[in-house]
Structure formats: structure tokens, C-alpha cells
Amino acid sequence: MTGPFTVAGLAAALRARRISSVELAEESLARIAAAQPVLNAFVTVDREGALEAARAADAALARGDAPPLAGVPIAHKDVLMTAGLRTTCASRMLADYVAPYDAHVVARLRAAGTTLVGKTNMDEFAMGSSNENSRFGAVANPWNRACIPGGSSGGSAAAVAARLVPAATGTDTGGSVRQPAAMCGITGIKPTYGLCSRYGLVAFASSFDTPGVLAGDAQDCALVLDAMAGHDARDATSADRPHEDCTRFLRREAGARPLAGLRIGLPREYSGTGVAAGVATAVEAALTELRKLGAETVAIELPMVGHAIPVYYVLAPAEASSNLSRFDGVRYGHRAEGYSGLDDLYGRTRAEGFGPEVKRRILIGTYVLSHGYYDAYYLKAQQVRRLIADDFARAFERCDVIAGPTTPTTAFALGARTDDPVAMYLGDIFTVAANLTGLPAISMPCGFDADGLPVGLQLQGRHFDEARLLDAAHRFQQASDWHLRVPPGYAR
Amino acid sequence: MSLGPDQIRHLAKLARIAIDDRDAGTLADELGAILGIIDRLLAIDTTGVVPMAHAHDSVVALRDDAVTEGDQRELFQRAAPAVAGGLYLVPKVIE
């Protein structure tokens, strides 16, 4: 008996020698292989690398000097660079790209002893909310294979939901950890901007890109996040502050009202319009449960938050158009054939290498940064970004966390929004504000809609207040069992 | 704000993405719809608001002007489509 398929449970079983790292890696690899034809959650599986890492973990466990997550299988989103193992960003542009070095968070998780089993599918360059924009095909939702898993970290979410791995990394630029976590019925945290280094994260929108964690529950998110976080001089925006153990509140003894004293802000602007009935009902029930656990709810206002989508879809494409100019067919990645000169080489390489959504965003970004429109769009969006951040700062004078649905709907059908980019963008309504402001946010499962699809509850917190968010989610999960539900056919 | 195919072709040229006439038409529609939601920003009064470029208004970290990495040219150039003698190869740009 190896106990629950969680990071905490497996780490304990490994330490007690009830199972070996190699056995766990073999199990994870077998489950990935079995699920791949249906879910398509992985772009690359690294069998040899995984077994080698697992053997090293077993040796360390035998010696008694194993790091905290020794032997725990993990998958990384294919936007995080892994030395020697290809990193594609799910793009034709990087289909054969092998990074020369590890991302900082990848290196940290290797040092923590995890066994990297493979790289997960995603929307190309992390641009998308459905994982349908992948060079390697769409990912299916384990709860209903006709539905999207969410995006852009859709492969990571599906892999964790289907218990292929107990945890996976993701990145969150506008909701790309939280939204797929919600739609796949798992827990996902986007930490404060700057808590985890962006070094080796292939850049999409540098002022928003945030490495995060997808796992079965808040405790596992805390354990993995704690191993990932830390200052890194190679990322100029990495926060240089003392390490704060984000699991520290989770170990506290708690009585019947563990959340006594916690003030949960409920934004007036989040209620009503556009939220599906099944989502609203589940979120209401979760709030009732949180009150039972001692939390107090207070009404708050975020008057400018309704502008978060347009602000995001000016600024993120602007940053993307700049960041993705590096893909020129010269230094790395795809190069077109049959070009007539340097400009033709660039044009053809980028026409062939990028998919439709990436091109749309580069062109929108080019437009809002171009002469005559820079002030009207780009600077304007930056000004409204500040107004939104000011709203949150005022709200956090009256509450400790802000709660609401992670997404307005549950997972939608594959193909339902592929012809309508705007409809796809509007689904990010509740998640993008945390990226505009840099605030940490977590999504956790809080129920199911009438179609049996999971609903996510989002909690947003103050800067660097991950420990409190994780604690609130953990207490909720100790009193509920939504996070223990496994999609049919994927029980371990 | 709507965009015509000519504007799309201009943007694509600036972005160094080759497009054909059919692409230009499709993109004009798609980008027009996206600008439809973006244009809502134009009506907001932002007089005197300092633009926010970053999630934290922190000072950009500076580090010592010291060599921290060795020469890894060969390793880095392994990912390039065409190199010779340690140089990246591109089409001739000077006649």
C-alpha cells in the first residue's frame, strides 16, 4: 500500500521505503502511455531520464540524505526549458529545439529530488485558453474527452487530473494555471509575480508570465511551490526577499473554526452577468462552507476590474510582439526553405513557424505599439492597469482574500470557440486581473455542474501572501472532498 | 476601429510575417473583432494616471559588472539552423 497519489503521500511512502522511486516512475510512465492516445497531455516523455533520476533518488533515500521531494514524479509544461530534453512551446517554430540549460524552477525541482517524466502539452507559446492552439494537437479533458481541458497549461492540468503525475508545473500569464486547474477539477496556484524566477521560461508577456503549480490539493501545491520559489539573479524581476515557507500555516493545529479571523472579500462586480448557473451554485456553496469554517465575508468593490480583459489584450500582445521577434530562423528553431533574401527568410520562417493565434497576437501587439497608436492603446492600457491595481489595493484594506469563480463557465466542447477569438478571450474575465496586478491567486475544486464538469473557486491574495491562500484552500479541502474526486476511468 | 487588408499587410510587414491576400482578409475580420473589445478603453478618463509597466513598482535589480558565464558558443549554436566557423549563416545582405 503506497497511500494516496499525492506529493505528500508519495514522499512519505518513499521515505518509509514502502515503494521505490523507480517503481513510481515506471507506474507514472505506464499511466502516461495508456492515457496518451485519449488525452494527448504530453508532448515529450523522457523514459530514460526519468528512470535515471529515479535511481538517483532511490540511492539518496537509501543513504538517508534525500532531498524533500526525492522520487516524486513531476511533469513540466513545455514552455520551461529542460537541458537536453526538447522544449517545443507546442510550436512548429521550436518543434526540434533542445535547450542548452534548465529553467531556474526546473533546476530547483531537480535539486528537490523530483523525477521529471516528461513535458506537457500546451497552447502554442502559452497563448490560449483551451489548449487547442498546439502544434501537437488538442488535449482532452479527463472528465469528458469531448471537452477542452482549459489552457494554456492544459496538458499539465489533464495529467494531474488523470493521476498520471501527482503534480506538474504550469505558467500563468492571464490565467493559464488557474483556468485549466478549475476545468480539470484540480488545484492550481499562480504565485506573486517575482516569487519564482522566469529564467528559462520562454517569454510570452514578461510583465505577466509567472511559473506556477498544478496538483491535487493545496498541500501539494504548497510543497512544490516551496521547492520552486527563491531569488534568482538571472531574472531581474525576481524578488530578492527572505524565503518564507509557504507551507507554514498548513501545519498549524486547527479547531472547528480554522478560518476564524479570515475576511473574504466578495466583489460586487463578480456576481451576475455571464456566470453559468452551475458555477454560481457551486461557488455559493463553497462560500457557505468557508463561513462555517470561521471566515467572514464582506462585500467589496472593484469598479475598474471590468476593464481587465481589454487592458490585458493590449499589453500581453504588445509584450508578445516584442518577445517573439527573436524567432527569426537564424539563432534557433525553424527556418523556412526557398527564401530569396534576409527579409524573405524572416517572413517565411515566421509564417510557417507560428500558428494562427500567435500571429494574431503578434499583429495586435505590433498595431498597439505602432506609430500613432502607442499613446491611444499601449499607454492607455498601462494607465488603466494602474487603476485596476489601485482597486485591489483598496479592497485589501477591508479583506484578506478575494473570492469568486475561477471561470464563468465549466469546460466547453472542443472546437466551440476556435473560430471566435473574442469569445475565447472573454472567458479569462476572472483570472487576468491577478496578472495585471502581480497578485497571487489559487483555484481549487468546489463542485460540479449538471453535466458533471468541475467548478473552480478562485481566491486572490495580497502580494507574497501565498501561505494564507494555501492555508484557506487547505482548510476548505480538509472539510470537503471535491479535490479527491477522480475522473471516471482514471482511479489509481 | 476596424482594419482593412492594406493595414493588415503593413502590420504583417512590420512583424516580419509573410501573409497572402486570403490571410489579410481573415485577419482583418479577426483583428477588427479584437479591437472591438480593446476600444472600450478609449472612453476611460485616465488624466494624470501614471502608466503601470510592471506588476511591482520595484527598482530594477543591478548586478556587478563581472563575468559569470564561460564561453558556451558551441553549445548555444547547436540549436541554430545554419552555422559555420562559429558564425550564424544568413542570406547575403550586402550586394
Side-chain angles (χ1 to χ4, degrees), chain B residues 51-75:
Chain B
M52 180 175 171
H54 231 273
H56 302 307
D57 288 324
S58 55
V59 180
V60 172
L62 299 175
R63 47 193 166 101
D64 294 338
D65 184 14
V67 176
T68 57
E69 303 281 337
D71 175 17
Q72 300 186 65
R73 184 169 67 178
E74 203 178 310
L75 176 66

PDB file of all heavy atoms in Angstrom, chain B residues 51-75:
ATOM      1  N   PRO B  51       1.325  55.549 -15.923  1.00  0.00           N
ATOM      2  CA  PRO B  51       1.246  54.220 -16.541  1.00  0.00           C
ATOM      3  C   PRO B  51       1.959  53.176 -15.691  1.00  0.00           C
ATOM      4  O   PRO B  51       2.994  53.453 -15.082  1.00  0.00           O
ATOM      5  CB  PRO B  51       1.965  54.404 -17.889  1.00  0.00           C
ATOM      6  CG  PRO B  51       1.913  55.867 -18.160  1.00  0.00           C
ATOM      7  CD  PRO B  51       1.951  56.538 -16.816  1.00  0.00           C
ATOM      8  N   MET B  52       1.391  51.975 -15.647  1.00  0.00           N
ATOM      9  CA  MET B  52       1.957  50.884 -14.848  1.00  0.00           C
ATOM     10  C   MET B  52       2.548  49.866 -15.822  1.00  0.00           C
ATOM     11  O   MET B  52       1.839  49.166 -16.510  1.00  0.00           O
ATOM     12  CB  MET B  52       0.850  50.254 -14.004  1.00  0.00           C
ATOM     13  CG  MET B  52       1.300  49.113 -13.120  1.00  0.00           C
ATOM     14  SD  MET B  52      -0.095  48.565 -12.069  1.00  0.00           S
ATOM     15  CE  MET B  52       0.583  47.082 -11.366  1.00  0.00           C
ATOM     16  N   ALA B  53       3.867  49.814 -15.834  1.00  0.00           N
ATOM     17  CA  ALA B  53       4.545  48.956 -16.806  1.00  0.00           C
ATOM     18  C   ALA B  53       4.808  47.575 -16.236  1.00  0.00           C
ATOM     19  O   ALA B  53       5.076  46.641 -16.979  1.00  0.00           O
ATOM     20  CB  ALA B  53       5.854  49.589 -17.249  1.00  0.00           C
ATOM     21  N   HIS B  54       4.740  47.461 -14.935  1.00  0.00           N
ATOM     22  CA  HIS B  54       5.160  46.219 -14.312  1.00  0.00           C
ATOM     23  C   HIS B  54       4.331  45.890 -13.089  1.00  0.00           C
ATOM     24  O   HIS B  54       3.744  46.772 -12.481  1.00  0.00           O
ATOM     25  CB  HIS B  54       6.641  46.312 -13.934  1.00  0.00           C
ATOM     26  CG  HIS B  54       7.404  45.137 -14.461  1.00  0.00           C
ATOM     27  ND1 HIS B  54       7.493  43.980 -13.763  1.00  0.00           N
ATOM     28  CD2 HIS B  54       8.042  44.946 -15.632  1.00  0.00           C
ATOM     29  CE1 HIS B  54       8.190  43.113 -14.485  1.00  0.00           C
ATOM     30  NE2 HIS B  54       8.531  43.666 -15.627  1.00  0.00           N
ATOM     31  N   ALA B  55       4.330  44.608 -12.713  1.00  0.00           N
ATOM     32  CA  ALA B  55       3.498  44.172 -11.599  1.00  0.00           C
ATOM     33  C   ALA B  55       3.955  44.762 -10.259  1.00  0.00           C
ATOM     34  O   ALA B  55       3.152  44.938  -9.359  1.00  0.00           O
ATOM     35  CB  ALA B  55       3.487  42.650 -11.520  1.00  0.00           C
ATOM     36  N   HIS B  56       5.231  45.019 -10.136  1.00  0.00           N
ATOM     37  CA  HIS B  56       5.728  45.683  -8.927  1.00  0.00           C
ATOM     38  C   HIS B  56       6.433  46.948  -9.367  1.00  0.00           C
ATOM     39  O   HIS B  56       7.157  46.940 -10.344  1.00  0.00           O
ATOM     40  CB  HIS B  56       6.758  44.824  -8.180  1.00  0.00           C
ATOM     41  CG  HIS B  56       6.235  43.488  -7.782  1.00  0.00           C
ATOM     42  ND1 HIS B  56       5.076  43.339  -7.069  1.00  0.00           N
ATOM     43  CD2 HIS B  56       6.711  42.246  -7.989  1.00  0.00           C
ATOM     44  CE1 HIS B  56       4.868  42.049  -6.864  1.00  0.00           C
ATOM     45  NE2 HIS B  56       5.839  41.373  -7.419  1.00  0.00           N
ATOM     46  N   ASP B  57       6.231  47.999  -8.613  1.00  0.00           N
ATOM     47  CA  ASP B  57       6.964  49.221  -8.919  1.00  0.00           C
ATOM     48  C   ASP B  57       8.320  49.164  -8.237  1.00  0.00           C
ATOM     49  O   ASP B  57       8.743  50.101  -7.568  1.00  0.00           O
ATOM     50  CB  ASP B  57       6.175  50.453  -8.454  1.00  0.00           C
ATOM     51  CG  ASP B  57       4.965  50.681  -9.344  1.00  0.00           C
ATOM     52  OD1 ASP B  57       5.078  50.439 -10.560  1.00  0.00           O
ATOM     53  OD2 ASP B  57       3.925  51.084  -8.823  1.00  0.00           O
ATOM     54  N   SER B  58       9.002  48.061  -8.379  1.00  0.00           N
ATOM     55  CA  SER B  58      10.285  47.923  -7.696  1.00  0.00           C
ATOM     56  C   SER B  58      11.415  48.423  -8.593  1.00  0.00           C
ATOM     57  O   SER B  58      11.268  48.527  -9.808  1.00  0.00           O
ATOM     58  CB  SER B  58      10.518  46.460  -7.338  1.00  0.00           C
ATOM     59  OG  SER B  58      10.413  45.676  -8.494  1.00  0.00           O
ATOM     60  N   VAL B  59      12.517  48.705  -7.972  1.00  0.00           N
ATOM     61  CA  VAL B  59      13.686  49.142  -8.705  1.00  0.00           C
ATOM     62  C   VAL B  59      14.282  47.930  -9.423  1.00  0.00           C
ATOM     63  O   VAL B  59      14.369  46.844  -8.853  1.00  0.00           O
ATOM     64  CB  VAL B  59      14.732  49.737  -7.738  1.00  0.00           C
ATOM     65  CG1 VAL B  59      15.970  50.211  -8.493  1.00  0.00           C
ATOM     66  CG2 VAL B  59      14.119  50.864  -6.935  1.00  0.00           C
ATOM     67  N   VAL B  60      14.638  48.108 -10.667  1.00  0.00           N
ATOM     68  CA  VAL B  60      15.247  47.001 -11.397  1.00  0.00           C
ATOM     69  C   VAL B  60      16.591  46.661 -10.747  1.00  0.00           C
ATOM     70  O   VAL B  60      17.400  47.540 -10.456  1.00  0.00           O
ATOM     71  CB  VAL B  60      15.449  47.367 -12.878  1.00  0.00           C
ATOM     72  CG1 VAL B  60      16.255  46.297 -13.598  1.00  0.00           C
ATOM     73  CG2 VAL B  60      14.102  47.545 -13.548  1.00  0.00           C
ATOM     74  N   ALA B  61      16.770  45.376 -10.508  1.00  0.00           N
ATOM     75  CA  ALA B  61      17.985  44.938  -9.830  1.00  0.00           C
ATOM     76  C   ALA B  61      19.197  45.099 -10.744  1.00  0.00           C
ATOM     77  O   ALA B  61      19.141  44.779 -11.927  1.00  0.00           O
ATOM     78  CB  ALA B  61      17.830  43.474  -9.423  1.00  0.00           C
ATOM     79  N   LEU B  62      20.249  45.602 -10.177  1.00  0.00           N
ATOM     80  CA  LEU B  62      21.507  45.691 -10.910  1.00  0.00           C
ATOM     81  C   LEU B  62      22.484  44.699 -10.287  1.00  0.00           C
ATOM     82  O   LEU B  62      22.449  44.458  -9.089  1.00  0.00           O
ATOM     83  CB  LEU B  62      22.095  47.104 -10.820  1.00  0.00           C
ATOM     84  CG  LEU B  62      21.237  48.217 -11.403  1.00  0.00           C
ATOM     85  CD1 LEU B  62      21.891  49.567 -11.142  1.00  0.00           C
ATOM     86  CD2 LEU B  62      21.021  48.015 -12.890  1.00  0.00           C
ATOM     87  N   ARG B  63      23.333  44.125 -11.118  1.00  0.00           N
ATOM     88  CA  ARG B  63      24.352  43.269 -10.513  1.00  0.00           C
ATOM     89  C   ARG B  63      25.734  43.759 -10.917  1.00  0.00           C
ATOM     90  O   ARG B  63      25.885  44.616 -11.782  1.00  0.00           O
ATOM     91  CB  ARG B  63      24.127  41.801 -10.843  1.00  0.00           C
ATOM     92  CG  ARG B  63      23.838  41.492 -12.262  1.00  0.00           C
ATOM     93  CD  ARG B  63      23.318  40.067 -12.392  1.00  0.00           C
ATOM     94  NE  ARG B  63      22.736  39.894 -13.710  1.00  0.00           N
ATOM     95  CZ  ARG B  63      23.367  39.291 -14.710  1.00  0.00           C
ATOM     96  NH1 ARG B  63      24.545  38.777 -14.541  1.00  0.00           N
ATOM     97  NH2 ARG B  63      22.803  39.201 -15.886  1.00  0.00           N
ATOM     98  N   ASP B  64      26.714  43.210 -10.263  1.00  0.00           N
ATOM     99  CA  ASP B  64      28.083  43.639 -10.521  1.00  0.00           C
ATOM    100  C   ASP B  64      28.450  43.373 -11.970  1.00  0.00           C
ATOM    101  O   ASP B  64      28.018  42.382 -12.562  1.00  0.00           O
ATOM    102  CB  ASP B  64      29.058  42.877  -9.607  1.00  0.00           C
ATOM    103  CG  ASP B  64      28.857  43.249  -8.148  1.00  0.00           C
ATOM    104  OD1 ASP B  64      28.300  44.347  -7.905  1.00  0.00           O
ATOM    105  OD2 ASP B  64      29.228  42.448  -7.277  1.00  0.00           O
ATOM    106  N   ASP B  65      29.266  44.254 -12.508  1.00  0.00           N
ATOM    107  CA  ASP B  65      29.731  44.096 -13.884  1.00  0.00           C
ATOM    108  C   ASP B  65      30.889  43.105 -13.876  1.00  0.00           C
ATOM    109  O   ASP B  65      32.052  43.468 -13.994  1.00  0.00           O
ATOM    110  CB  ASP B  65      30.161  45.454 -14.436  1.00  0.00           C
ATOM    111  CG  ASP B  65      30.565  45.360 -15.895  1.00  0.00           C
ATOM    112  OD1 ASP B  65      30.261  44.323 -16.524  1.00  0.00           O
ATOM    113  OD2 ASP B  65      31.176  46.315 -16.400  1.00  0.00           O
ATOM    114  N   ALA B  66      30.516  41.828 -13.692  1.00  0.00           N
ATOM    115  CA  ALA B  66      31.541  40.796 -13.582  1.00  0.00           C
ATOM    116  C   ALA B  66      31.184  39.621 -14.485  1.00  0.00           C
ATOM    117  O   ALA B  66      30.007  39.366 -14.729  1.00  0.00           O
ATOM    118  CB  ALA B  66      31.646  40.315 -12.129  1.00  0.00           C
ATOM    119  N   VAL B  67      32.195  38.939 -14.970  1.00  0.00           N
ATOM    120  CA  VAL B  67      31.964  37.764 -15.804  1.00  0.00           C
ATOM    121  C   VAL B  67      31.454  36.621 -14.926  1.00  0.00           C
ATOM    122  O   VAL B  67      32.069  36.282 -13.924  1.00  0.00           O
ATOM    123  CB  VAL B  67      33.270  37.330 -16.516  1.00  0.00           C
ATOM    124  CG1 VAL B  67      33.046  36.043 -17.316  1.00  0.00           C
ATOM    125  CG2 VAL B  67      33.769  38.450 -17.420  1.00  0.00           C
ATOM    126  N   THR B  68      30.295  36.077 -15.308  1.00  0.00           N
ATOM    127  CA  THR B  68      29.745  34.972 -14.523  1.00  0.00           C
ATOM    128  C   THR B  68      29.610  33.702 -15.359  1.00  0.00           C
ATOM    129  O   THR B  68      29.402  32.626 -14.818  1.00  0.00           O
ATOM    130  CB  THR B  68      28.362  35.320 -13.952  1.00  0.00           C
ATOM    131  OG1 THR B  68      27.505  35.667 -15.040  1.00  0.00           O
ATOM    132  CG2 THR B  68      28.436  36.471 -12.974  1.00  0.00           C
ATOM    133  N   GLU B  69      29.671  33.826 -16.663  1.00  0.00           N
ATOM    134  CA  GLU B  69      29.476  32.663 -17.529  1.00  0.00           C
ATOM    135  C   GLU B  69      30.703  32.489 -18.412  1.00  0.00           C
ATOM    136  O   GLU B  69      31.288  33.462 -18.887  1.00  0.00           O
ATOM    137  CB  GLU B  69      28.260  32.871 -18.447  1.00  0.00           C
ATOM    138  CG  GLU B  69      26.958  33.146 -17.711  1.00  0.00           C
ATOM    139  CD  GLU B  69      26.317  31.891 -17.161  1.00  0.00           C
ATOM    140  OE1 GLU B  69      26.598  30.802 -17.685  1.00  0.00           O
ATOM    141  OE2 GLU B  69      25.542  32.014 -16.192  1.00  0.00           O
ATOM    142  N   GLY B  70      31.055  31.236 -18.646  1.00  0.00           N
ATOM    143  CA  GLY B  70      32.136  30.952 -19.579  1.00  0.00           C
ATOM    144  C   GLY B  70      31.635  30.967 -21.015  1.00  0.00           C
ATOM    145  O   GLY B  70      30.450  31.198 -21.265  1.00  0.00           O
ATOM    146  N   ASP B  71      32.539  30.728 -21.951  1.00  0.00           N
ATOM    147  CA  ASP B  71      32.181  30.692 -23.368  1.00  0.00           C
ATOM    148  C   ASP B  71      31.398  29.417 -23.664  1.00  0.00           C
ATOM    149  O   ASP B  71      31.900  28.306 -23.444  1.00  0.00           O
ATOM    150  CB  ASP B  71      33.467  30.745 -24.205  1.00  0.00           C
ATOM    151  CG  ASP B  71      33.162  30.594 -25.690  1.00  0.00           C
ATOM    152  OD1 ASP B  71      31.990  30.783 -26.072  1.00  0.00           O
ATOM    153  OD2 ASP B  71      34.097  30.289 -26.450  1.00  0.00           O
ATOM    154  N   GLN B  72      30.164  29.576 -24.122  1.00  0.00           N
ATOM    155  CA  GLN B  72      29.350  28.393 -24.454  1.00  0.00           C
ATOM    156  C   GLN B  72      28.849  28.479 -25.897  1.00  0.00           C
ATOM    157  O   GLN B  72      27.767  27.994 -26.215  1.00  0.00           O
ATOM    158  CB  GLN B  72      28.170  28.275 -23.495  1.00  0.00           C
ATOM    159  CG  GLN B  72      28.593  28.139 -22.035  1.00  0.00           C
ATOM    160  CD  GLN B  72      27.403  27.883 -21.142  1.00  0.00           C
ATOM    161  OE1 GLN B  72      26.752  26.855 -21.233  1.00  0.00           O
ATOM    162  NE2 GLN B  72      27.114  28.839 -20.285  1.00  0.00           N
ATOM    163  N   ARG B  73      29.634  29.141 -26.749  1.00  0.00           N
ATOM    164  CA  ARG B  73      29.183  29.387 -28.115  1.00  0.00           C
ATOM    165  C   ARG B  73      28.788  28.107 -28.841  1.00  0.00           C
ATOM    166  O   ARG B  73      27.748  28.033 -29.463  1.00  0.00           O
ATOM    167  CB  ARG B  73      30.275  30.116 -28.911  1.00  0.00           C
ATOM    168  CG  ARG B  73      29.811  30.469 -30.302  1.00  0.00           C
ATOM    169  CD  ARG B  73      30.756  31.406 -30.979  1.00  0.00           C
ATOM    170  NE  ARG B  73      32.042  30.783 -31.259  1.00  0.00           N
ATOM    171  CZ  ARG B  73      33.035  31.381 -31.893  1.00  0.00           C
ATOM    172  NH1 ARG B  73      32.901  32.644 -32.283  1.00  0.00           N
ATOM    173  NH2 ARG B  73      34.166  30.768 -32.121  1.00  0.00           N
ATOM    174  N   GLU B  74      29.634  27.103 -28.698  1.00  0.00           N
ATOM    175  CA  GLU B  74      29.359  25.858 -29.414  1.00  0.00           C
ATOM    176  C   GLU B  74      28.042  25.228 -28.950  1.00  0.00           C
ATOM    177  O   GLU B  74      27.230  24.781 -29.762  1.00  0.00           O
ATOM    178  CB  GLU B  74      30.523  24.894 -29.187  1.00  0.00           C
ATOM    179  CG  GLU B  74      30.646  23.836 -30.252  1.00  0.00           C
ATOM    180  CD  GLU B  74      31.852  22.931 -29.985  1.00  0.00           C
ATOM    181  OE1 GLU B  74      32.965  23.455 -29.755  1.00  0.00           O
ATOM    182  OE2 GLU B  74      31.631  21.711 -29.967  1.00  0.00           O
ATOM    183  N   LEU B  75      27.848  25.227 -27.646  1.00  0.00           N
ATOM    184  CA  LEU B  75      26.616  24.667 -27.090  1.00  0.00           C
ATOM    185  C   LEU B  75      25.396  25.431 -27.611  1.00  0.00           C
ATOM    186  O   LEU B  75      24.410  24.844 -28.047  1.00  0.00           O
ATOM    187  CB  LEU B  75      26.675  24.741 -25.559  1.00  0.00           C
ATOM    188  CG  LEU B  75      25.439  24.285 -24.785  1.00  0.00           C
ATOM    189  CD1 LEU B  75      25.195  22.788 -24.970  1.00  0.00           C
ATOM    190  CD2 LEU B  75      25.579  24.616 -23.297  1.00  0.00           C
TER     191      LEU B  75
END
